[in-house]
Amino acid sequence: MALDEHTEELAHAAARGDHRSLGELLRRIEPDVLRHCARILPYHHDAEEAAQDTLLAVARNIARFEGRARFSTWLHIVTANCARTTYRSLKRRSAEQSSDELLTQKPDVRRVSVIAGSRLDLLDAMEALEADKPDLAQALVLRDIVQLDYSEVAEQLKIPLGTAKSRIHQARKYVQGVLGDDYR
Protein backbone atom coordinates (compact mmCIF):
# COMPACT_ATOMS: atom_id res chain seq x y z
CA MET A 1 0.00 0.00 0.00
CA ALA A 2 1.96 2.97 -1.22
CA LEU A 3 0.02 6.01 -0.09
CA ASP A 4 0.66 9.52 -1.36
CA GLU A 5 1.89 12.38 0.79
CA HIS A 6 -1.58 13.94 1.10
CA THR A 7 -2.86 10.71 2.66
CA GLU A 8 0.09 10.70 5.05
CA GLU A 9 -0.75 14.31 6.03
CA LEU A 10 -4.40 13.39 6.57
CA ALA A 11 -3.29 10.58 8.90
CA HIS A 12 -1.18 12.97 10.96
CA ALA A 13 -4.07 15.45 11.19
CA ALA A 14 -6.51 12.69 12.12
CA ALA A 15 -4.10 11.45 14.81
CA ARG A 16 -4.17 14.96 16.28
CA GLY A 17 -7.98 14.75 16.53
CA ASP A 18 -9.17 16.33 13.25
CA HIS A 19 -12.42 14.45 12.54
CA ARG A 20 -12.82 15.86 9.03
CA SER A 21 -9.35 14.57 8.12
CA LEU A 22 -10.23 11.17 9.57
CA GLY A 23 -13.33 10.92 7.39
CA GLU A 24 -11.39 11.82 4.26
CA LEU A 25 -8.56 9.48 5.24
CA LEU A 26 -10.95 6.53 5.61
CA ARG A 27 -12.51 7.24 2.19
CA ARG A 28 -9.07 7.42 0.55
CA ILE A 29 -7.65 4.23 2.07
CA GLU A 30 -10.73 2.01 1.71
CA PRO A 31 -9.91 0.65 -1.80
CA ASP A 32 -6.29 -0.09 -0.84
CA VAL A 33 -7.36 -1.78 2.38
CA LEU A 34 -9.85 -3.97 0.50
CA ARG A 35 -7.21 -4.97 -2.07
CA HIS A 36 -4.75 -5.86 0.68
CA CYS A 37 -7.35 -7.92 2.56
CA ALA A 38 -8.24 -9.72 -0.68
CA ARG A 39 -4.60 -10.78 -1.05
CA ILE A 40 -4.76 -12.43 2.37
CA LEU A 41 -8.29 -13.89 2.39
CA PRO A 42 -9.52 -16.10 -0.46
CA TYR A 43 -13.15 -14.97 -0.63
CA HIS A 44 -14.23 -11.45 -1.55
CA HIS A 45 -16.96 -11.37 1.11
CA ASP A 46 -14.42 -12.25 3.81
CA ALA A 47 -12.02 -9.61 2.49
CA GLU A 48 -14.80 -7.02 2.65
CA GLU A 49 -15.51 -7.97 6.28
CA ALA A 50 -11.82 -7.66 7.15
CA ALA A 51 -11.59 -4.32 5.32
CA GLN A 52 -14.51 -2.93 7.33
CA ASP A 53 -12.89 -4.16 10.54
CA THR A 54 -9.65 -2.49 9.47
CA LEU A 55 -11.34 0.84 8.78
CA LEU A 56 -13.07 0.66 12.15
CA ALA A 57 -9.74 -0.15 13.84
CA VAL A 58 -8.08 2.80 12.10
CA ALA A 59 -10.89 5.13 13.22
CA ARG A 60 -10.72 3.88 16.81
CA ASN A 61 -6.93 3.79 17.09
CA ILE A 62 -5.70 6.67 14.91
CA ALA A 63 -4.68 8.58 18.04
CA ARG A 64 -2.11 5.82 18.67
CA PHE A 65 -0.43 6.55 15.36
CA GLU A 66 2.63 8.46 16.52
CA GLY A 67 4.21 9.19 13.16
CA ARG A 68 7.53 7.49 13.90
CA ALA A 69 7.02 5.37 10.78
CA ARG A 70 4.93 6.18 7.73
CA PHE A 71 1.17 5.83 8.08
CA SER A 72 1.21 3.31 5.22
CA THR A 73 3.42 1.02 7.32
CA TRP A 74 1.11 1.34 10.33
CA LEU A 75 -1.90 0.70 8.08
CA HIS A 76 -0.29 -2.44 6.61
CA ILE A 77 0.12 -3.87 10.10
CA VAL A 78 -3.45 -3.03 11.14
CA THR A 79 -4.81 -4.48 7.88
CA ALA A 80 -2.83 -7.73 8.15
CA ASN A 81 -3.87 -8.17 11.78
CA CYS A 82 -7.55 -7.54 11.01
CA ALA A 83 -7.49 -9.96 8.06
CA ARG A 84 -5.90 -12.65 10.21
CA THR A 85 -8.42 -12.00 12.99
CA THR A 86 -11.27 -12.29 10.49
CA TYR A 87 -9.86 -15.61 9.28
CA ARG A 88 -9.62 -16.96 12.85
CA SER A 89 -13.20 -15.84 13.53
CA LEU A 90 -14.51 -17.49 10.36
CA LYS A 91 -12.63 -20.67 11.16
CA ARG A 92 -14.05 -20.73 14.69
CA ARG A 93 -17.61 -20.15 13.41
CA SER A 94 -17.16 -22.92 10.87
CA ALA A 95 -15.99 -25.34 13.56
CA GLU A 96 -19.04 -24.49 15.67
CA GLN A 97 -21.46 -25.48 12.91
CA SER A 98 -22.95 -28.92 13.34
CA SER A 99 -21.75 -31.62 11.00
CA ASP A 100 -25.31 -31.96 9.63
CA GLU A 101 -25.23 -28.35 8.47
CA LEU A 102 -21.88 -28.91 6.83
CA LEU A 103 -23.11 -31.99 4.97
CA THR A 104 -26.06 -30.10 3.45
CA GLN A 105 -23.85 -27.26 2.18
CA LYS A 106 -22.33 -27.77 -1.22
CA PRO A 107 -19.22 -25.81 -2.16
CA ASP A 108 -19.60 -23.22 -4.90
CA VAL A 109 -17.12 -24.44 -7.51
CA ARG A 110 -16.63 -20.89 -8.77
CA ARG A 111 -15.16 -19.94 -5.39
CA VAL A 112 -12.98 -22.98 -4.73
CA SER A 113 -9.48 -22.97 -6.16
CA VAL A 114 -6.01 -24.27 -5.59
CA ILE A 115 -4.90 -20.73 -4.82
CA ALA A 116 -7.59 -20.27 -2.19
CA GLY A 117 -6.73 -23.62 -0.62
CA SER A 118 -3.06 -22.69 -0.49
CA ARG A 119 -3.82 -19.41 1.22
CA LEU A 120 -5.99 -21.18 3.77
CA ASP A 121 -3.13 -23.59 4.46
CA LEU A 122 -0.82 -20.62 4.94
CA LEU A 123 -3.26 -18.88 7.28
CA ASP A 124 -3.54 -22.08 9.33
CA ALA A 125 0.26 -22.30 9.49
CA MET A 126 0.46 -18.64 10.56
CA GLU A 127 -2.13 -19.28 13.24
CA ALA A 128 -0.07 -22.21 14.58
CA LEU A 129 3.07 -20.08 14.55
CA GLU A 130 1.32 -17.25 16.36
CA ALA A 131 0.04 -19.60 19.06
CA ASP A 132 3.43 -21.28 19.52
CA LYS A 133 5.91 -18.45 18.89
CA PRO A 134 4.20 -15.03 18.69
CA ASP A 135 7.46 -13.07 18.45
CA LEU A 136 8.35 -14.99 15.30
CA ALA A 137 4.86 -14.54 13.85
CA GLN A 138 5.02 -10.79 14.30
CA ALA A 139 8.31 -10.56 12.41
CA LEU A 140 7.06 -12.80 9.60
CA VAL A 141 3.86 -10.80 9.16
CA LEU A 142 5.81 -7.56 8.89
CA ARG A 143 8.25 -9.00 6.34
CA ASP A 144 6.20 -11.37 4.19
CA ILE A 145 2.67 -9.98 4.43
CA VAL A 146 3.23 -6.28 5.05
CA GLN A 147 6.37 -6.47 2.89
CA LEU A 148 8.57 -4.23 5.00
CA ASP A 149 12.30 -4.53 4.42
CA TYR A 150 14.40 -6.10 7.17
CA SER A 151 15.52 -2.80 8.66
CA GLU A 152 11.91 -1.58 8.88
CA VAL A 153 10.91 -4.82 10.61
CA ALA A 154 13.71 -4.32 13.13
CA GLU A 155 12.63 -0.72 13.67
CA GLN A 156 8.96 -1.63 14.14
CA LEU A 157 9.80 -4.39 16.63
CA LYS A 158 12.53 -2.35 18.33
CA ILE A 159 15.06 -5.16 17.95
CA PRO A 160 18.50 -5.36 16.31
CA LEU A 161 18.59 -6.06 12.57
CA GLY A 162 20.26 -9.44 13.05
CA THR A 163 17.56 -10.50 15.50
CA ALA A 164 14.86 -9.49 13.01
CA LYS A 165 16.51 -11.54 10.24
CA SER A 166 16.87 -14.52 12.57
CA ARG A 167 13.21 -14.38 13.66
CA ILE A 168 12.03 -14.18 10.07
CA HIS A 169 14.23 -17.12 9.08
CA GLN A 170 13.02 -19.20 12.04
CA ALA A 171 9.40 -18.29 11.31
CA ARG A 172 9.72 -19.31 7.66
CA LYS A 173 11.23 -22.65 8.68
CA TYR A 174 8.39 -23.20 11.15
CA VAL A 175 5.73 -22.39 8.55
CA GLN A 176 7.43 -24.62 5.98
CA GLY A 177 7.46 -27.42 8.52
CA VAL A 178 3.73 -27.02 9.11
CA LEU A 179 2.95 -26.81 5.38
CA GLY A 180 5.15 -29.77 4.44
CA ASP A 181 7.60 -30.46 1.67
CA ASP A 182 5.30 -29.27 -1.12
CA TYR A 183 5.80 -25.68 0.02
CA ARG A 184 9.59 -25.62 0.32
Side-chain angles (χ1 to χ4, degrees):
M1 256 184 274
L3 303 176
D4 63 19
E5 288 305 314
H6 181 64
T7 306
E8 295 285 337
E9 291 169 8
L10 285 171
H12 286 278
R16 290 189 302 270
D18 183 344
H19 296 290
R20 183 177 287 159
S21 294
L22 177 60
E24 187 177 342
L25 175 67
L26 294 174
R27 280 188 295 282
R28 289 178 71 110
I29 66 172
E30 184 176 13
D32 290 325
V33 167
L34 180 57
R35 266 191 305 279
H36 192 69
C37 288
R39 278 187 257 152
I40 299 171
L41 296 165
Y43 300 123
H44 186 71
H45 183 295
D46 299 341
E48 287 176 335
E49 182 178 333
Q52 289 302 311
D53 291 345
T54 300
L55 295 173
L56 184 59
V58 168
R60 285 183 176 159
N61 298 307
I62 192 67
R64 294 184 186 164
F65 172 62
E66 298 171 350
R68 288 182 294 187
R70 293 184 56 81
F71 173 71
S72 58
T73 302
W74 185 81
L75 180 60
H76 270 296
I77 295 165
V78 172
T79 303
N81 287 340
C82 285
R84 291 171 55 225
T85 299
T86 297
Y87 173 71
R88 283 192 296 272
S89 173
L90 293 168
K91 186 176 174 184
R92 188 174 41 256
R93 279 187 259 164
S94 175
E96 291 170 356
Q97 287 181 331
S98 72
S99 60
D100 291 340
E101 287 177 9
L102 293 175
L103 291 175
T104 62
Q105 296 175 355
K106 295 196 189 286
D108 181 351
V109 295
R110 295 170 297 175
R111 296 178 66 189
V112 178
S113 72
V114 173
I115 294 170
S118 296
R119 282 192 277 182
L120 293 178
D121 289 350
L122 180 59
L123 288 169
D124 285 339
M126 288 295 298
E127 187 175 0
L129 175 64
E130 188 170 35
D132 194 26
K133 301 179 181 210
D135 56 331
L136 300 183
Q138 198 174 24
L140 187 65
V141 165
L142 291 173
R143 177 68 186 124
D144 290 354
I145 295 176
V146 179
Q147 298 180 336
L148 297 181
D149 64 38
Y150 289 102
S151 61
E152 291 173 316
V153 171
E155 182 180 322
Q156 284 291 320
L157 297 178
K158 298 177 178 55
I159 57 176
L161 179 61
T163 303
K165 288 180 179 181
S166 175
R167 286 184 185 179
I168 292 163
H169 176 73
Q170 290 173 19
R172 286 176 178 161
K173 283 182 69 171
Y174 183 98
V175 168
Q176 286 174 343
V178 171
L179 294 175
D181 291 335
D182 293 339
Y183 292 92
R184 289 180 191 244

